[in-house]
Amino acid sequence: MHVTVRCFATLRELAADRTELTVAPGATLTEAWTVLAGKHPGLVPHRPFVRPARNGAYAPWDEVLADGDQVAFLPPVSGGGPSGLTDGPIDVPALETAVAGSAHGAVVTFVGRARDRADDGRAVVELEYEAYPEMAAAVLAEIVAEAERRWPGGVVAIVHRVGLVPIGQAAVAIVTAAGHRSEAYEANRFVIEAIKERLPIWKRERFVDGSEWKRPGA
């Protein structure tokens, strides 16, 4: 089965404007992405931020393709760096690469990690994050846009993990790039506080003898 894949902006530079792919009958958009990323490995870290389309309309990743379909993989359209939710490990170096430009003299990265102790001293086995995904995506875009308005010329990327997060792995990564270090630091701090205040996401700490829901940052 043959489909035509279009990529745009950042994704086009990593792959190609138009690619003819051969996929198995009954393949989904996810499987088409996997085939394309196999040809262009630089696409792999961008998967959490990509939105697929089929025949000119947005479509879910599990939508089944038909022979002759026109597929598009679209990067974020709201400006700024790649931001969103992911249910897999966060590729922090890829975020830094996506954000930093030749005009940026400073890049500040904050990584919030799953730790093995609660504030009350109990041993934590793992963390679980649950979000309201549609609202969370809009809130993250809003925070990015606000930060970039406050610090003109800066670029911001935010990725928050959802689902189970093993101890020691990143739960959230915030990367800010600016012309000078003070702007990059201030923008990063602003984003951290805005996430704690606005993002509809909740954290469950799992202990040997039970679990407890908390707001992240609590």
Side-chain angles (χ1 to χ4, degrees), residues 48-49 82-91 95 110 140 157-161 170-175 195:
F49 323 114
S83 298
L85 304 176
T86 180
D87 58 3
I90 299 173
D91 189 338
L95 280 182
F110 168 81
L140 288 174
I158 313 165
V159 177
H160 206 301
R161 190 166 173 178
V172 60
I174 302 165
V175 181
I195 286 175

Side-chain angles (χ1 to χ4, degrees), residues 99-105 178-179:
V99 165
S102 59
H104 298 133

Side-chain angles (χ1 to χ4, degrees), residues 2-218:
H2 302 281
V3 298
T4 301
V5 177
R6 296 288 309 276
C7 290
F8 298 87
T10 305
L11 302 181
R12 174 177 50 76
E13 293 179 351
L14 292 168
D17 173 70
R18 186 186 302 268
T19 305
E20 302 295 327
L21 288 186
T22 300
V23 296
T28 63
L29 283 163
T30 294
E31 290 163 320
W33 170 268
T34 300
V35 173
L36 185 66
K39 297 176 179 290
H40 305 284
L43 293 171
V44 172
H46 292 263
R47 167 63 176 80
F49 323 114
V50 173
R51 192 170 182 187
R54 177 187 177 218
N55 297 330
Y58 286 121
W61 282 101
D62 60 358
E63 183 154 307
V64 175
L65 300 174
D67 188 51
D69 274 352
Q70 301 290 315
V71 173
F73 294 121
L74 310 175
V77 297
S78 60
S83 298
L85 304 176
T86 180
D87 58 3
I90 299 173
D91 189 338
V92 177
L95 280 182
E96 294 170 336
T97 299
V99 165
S102 59
H104 298 133
V107 177
V108 173
T109 301
F110 168 81
V111 177
R113 301 169 67 240
R115 58 177 180 165
D116 63 0
R117 290 285 164 183
D119 290 339
D120 61 9
R122 284 184 293 173
V124 177
V125 177
E126 63 187 0
L127 298 184
E128 178 185 1
Y129 287 86
E130 180 178 331
Y132 178 8
E134 295 82 4
M135 184 176 178
V139 169
L140 288 174
E142 175 185 276
I143 292 171
V144 168
E146 186 173 343
E148 292 179 352
R149 283 195 304 269
R150 290 193 182 201
W151 290 275
V155 180
V156 177
I158 313 165
V159 177
H160 206 301
R161 190 166 173 178
V162 294
L164 295 179
V165 180
I167 298 301
Q169 292 192 16
V172 60
I174 302 165
V175 181
T176 52
H180 301 91
R181 63 180 181 274
S182 61
E183 298 161 353
Y185 274 116
E186 289 167 8
N188 205 288
R189 179 69 185 214
F190 165 79
V191 171
I192 293 168
E193 298 303 325
I195 286 175
K196 289 166 59 177
E197 179 182 347
R198 305 184 209 171
L199 191 64
I201 195 165
W202 300 268
K203 175 177 70 176
R204 189 207 298 262
E205 292 179 330
R206 295 185 182 275
F207 312 105
V208 174
D209 58 351
S211 63
E212 183 176 314
W213 285 103
K214 292 184 177 180
R215 280 280 292 155

